Amino acid sequence: MLHDDPVVRMRAADAIEKVSRLHPEFLKAYKQRLIREVSKIDQQEIRWHVAQMFSYLELNNREKELIVYLLFSWLEESSSNIVK
């Protein structure tokens, strides 16, 4: 999802979301990268999937606060109805 090519990012996000829906434990090792790096990508297709992946993670209170902040910021700045 951190690839330079937006098509690669989009397809990776789609595949990772589908797999992690069935196996959320696979995201555990990548939780911080997902929250701190992948969530910074301003591509709507990435955000569609990352928002779903956030719900698959076990989060502490600080992580929950950060994710809620991120999601609200996406609501305010995104032109995509799917992201919203």
Side-chain angles (χ1 to χ4, degrees):
M1 291 185 289
L2 297 172
H3 196 275
D4 289 338
D5 185 330
V7 175
V8 172
R9 285 194 305 260
M10 176 184 63
R11 292 189 178 180
D14 184 52
I16 293 166
E17 188 277 317
K18 284 181 169 82
V19 170
S20 63
R21 186 182 321 155
L22 299 174
H23 298 281
E25 68 276 10
F26 292 174
L27 286 178
K28 187 175 183 174
Y30 302 97
K31 177 170 69 170
Q32 290 307 313
R33 289 192 81 185
L34 189 65
I35 294 171
R36 304 207 184 278
E37 293 178 55
V38 178
S39 68
K40 304 288 189 261
I41 298 169
D42 190 22
Q43 183 178 345
Q44 67 183 13
E45 296 89 352
I46 302 303
R47 289 184 173 183
W48 302 341
H49 295 295
V50 168
Q52 292 175 295
M53 285 185 262
F54 283 156
S55 72
Y56 309 150
L57 296 170
E58 289 185 27
L59 304 166
N60 64 36
N61 287 337
R62 177 67 186 124
E63 292 164 340
K64 288 176 191 175
E65 290 173 7
L66 180 57
I67 287 171
V68 167
Y69 174 82
L70 285 169
L71 293 174
F72 273 107
S73 72
W74 294 356
L75 277 173
E76 292 175 4
E77 66 189 45
S78 181
S79 61
S80 167
N81 287 333
I82 296 174
V83 171
K84 291 178 180 185

